[in-house]
Amino acid sequence: MIADAQVHLWLANTPDRPWLPNRIAQLPEPFLVEQLVPMMDEAGVDRAVIVPPSWEGDRNDYALEAVRRYPTRFAVMGRMPVNDPNTAKLLPDWRKQPGMLGIRLTFHPPQWHWLTDGSVDWFWPLAEKYRLPVMFYGAPMAHFARVAERYPQLTMIADHLGVSTEMAKEGKTAEGVKETAALAKHPNVSVKLSTTPFYSSESFPFGDMTVHVRRLFDAFGPQRCYWGTDLTNSYHKATYRQRITHFTETLDFLSNADKEWVMGRGILERLGWK
């Protein structure tokens, strides 16, 4: 079973379905489920977790449509306006949406203060109460260490090695990975080893990323590390198949048993995706 821990799908920016102001997608054209499914079939990817992209705002409609059309192939980690406590009423029934497994939070630098000024404090205990896994991205990992310690039954998944695009561009990937590895002491935290082609300054097989992947694997272990592509980020840098073989054929520290967990079993079990 090969399961991609993160893909984006999106529709065009139109007047009746507008994106957020001044936002640019990872590709110049929409990326549709009709494009993704044949790519998965060709590469041998059985399932994928759809993470609705931030430029579309806090909407999940197209991701849920993909689940309706391909219920055995896709599930969703949905978006919500986490800085608005009025959305708390959505959480008790969140997983009643077919294919919805949890919530993905994005904290771009303008939103980092939400993690320190109380804006999102309401969210964590309710996500724990209703057993909603949370993927998180963007802000320094130290913010999430405090959450993990306070809410030990909350399933937390650090995206993209725990490294933001801004950190990678500033040459701080190693620093970010170090902070993420420190979260491994919390059993409720795990990590997606995703978007490695984008962060790499090399071509396939992205040898400069091996040290970072190895550090996180050694910290979290095979059951708490998940392969994922974030395919449309660095879309032209590697084929879908290369993104698989990067892990299955070039990372010699992974045993066959490790690969079973990292390439799919781990994320499916952590999210409760049967």
Side-chain angles (χ1 to χ4, degrees), residues 102-118:
I103 294 169
R104 201 285 182 115
L105 303 181
T106 303
F107 298 96
H108 294 297
Q111 290 91 47
W112 286 3
H113 67 91
W114 292 354
L115 291 160
T116 57
D117 67 6

Side-chain angles (χ1 to χ4, degrees), residues 60-177:
N60 305 305
D61 54 333
Y62 188 53
L64 292 171
E65 178 185 331
V67 171
R68 287 193 294 271
R69 293 174 60 184
Y70 300 93
T72 64
R73 306 296 296 276
F74 297 116
V76 181
M77 291 292 286
R79 300 183 61 84
M80 64 178 301
V82 72
N83 63 319
D84 181 3
N86 291 323
T87 58
K89 62 181 180 291
L90 301 176
L91 296 187
D93 295 326
W94 190 255
R95 289 194 65 155
K96 292 182 181 179
Q97 302 172 85
M100 187 68 80
L101 297 182
I103 294 169
R104 201 285 182 115
L105 303 181
T106 303
F107 298 96
H108 294 297
Q111 290 91 47
W112 286 3
H113 67 91
W114 292 354
L115 291 160
T116 57
D117 67 6
S119 296
V120 300
D121 287 358
W122 67 270
F123 172 78
W124 309 113
L126 290 181
E128 182 184 52
K129 176 181 178 180
Y130 295 115
R131 305 184 66 82
L132 296 172
V134 177
M135 292 178 174
F136 54 94
Y137 167 77
M141 292 296 103
H143 294 301
F144 303 105
R146 292 189 290 270
V147 175
E149 185 170 6
R150 187 169 183 180
Y151 303 103
Q153 301 306 312
L154 174 62
T155 296
M156 302 177 64
I157 302 171
D159 287 351
H160 307 337
L161 317 177
V163 177
S164 68
T165 298
E166 289 79 13
M167 294 185 71
K169 289 179 177 178
E170 294 171 3
K172 297 180 179 179
T173 297
E175 179 182 326
V177 167

Side-chain angles (χ1 to χ4, degrees), residues 42 65 67 79 113 119 129 158 166 203 211 218 224 252 273-274:
E42 182 180 9
E65 178 185 331
V67 171
R79 300 183 61 84
H113 67 91
S119 296
K129 176 181 178 180
E166 289 79 13
S203 58
V211 63
D218 288 345
R224 291 195 289 153
D252 57 9
W273 187 0
K274 305 300 184 184

Side-chain angles (χ1 to χ4, degrees), residues 17-94:
R17 197 177 183 283
W19 297 355
L20 296 180
N22 304 314
R23 296 301 302 274
I24 299 174
Q26 292 173 345
L27 294 173
E29 302 293 335
F31 191 68
L32 307 176
V33 67
E34 291 88 352
Q35 296 164 260
L36 179 58
V37 170
M39 294 176 67
M40 292 171 61
D41 290 343
E42 182 180 9
V45 177
D46 300 290
R47 298 183 183 183
V49 178
I50 302 173
V51 174
S54 59
W55 51 87
E56 285 201 319
D58 293 312
R59 61 185 311 156
N60 305 305
D61 54 333
Y62 188 53
L64 292 171
E65 178 185 331
V67 171
R68 287 193 294 271
R69 293 174 60 184
Y70 300 93
T72 64
R73 306 296 296 276
F74 297 116
V76 181
M77 291 292 286
R79 300 183 61 84
M80 64 178 301
V82 72
N83 63 319
D84 181 3
N86 291 323
T87 58
K89 62 181 180 291
L90 301 176
L91 296 187
D93 295 326
W94 190 255

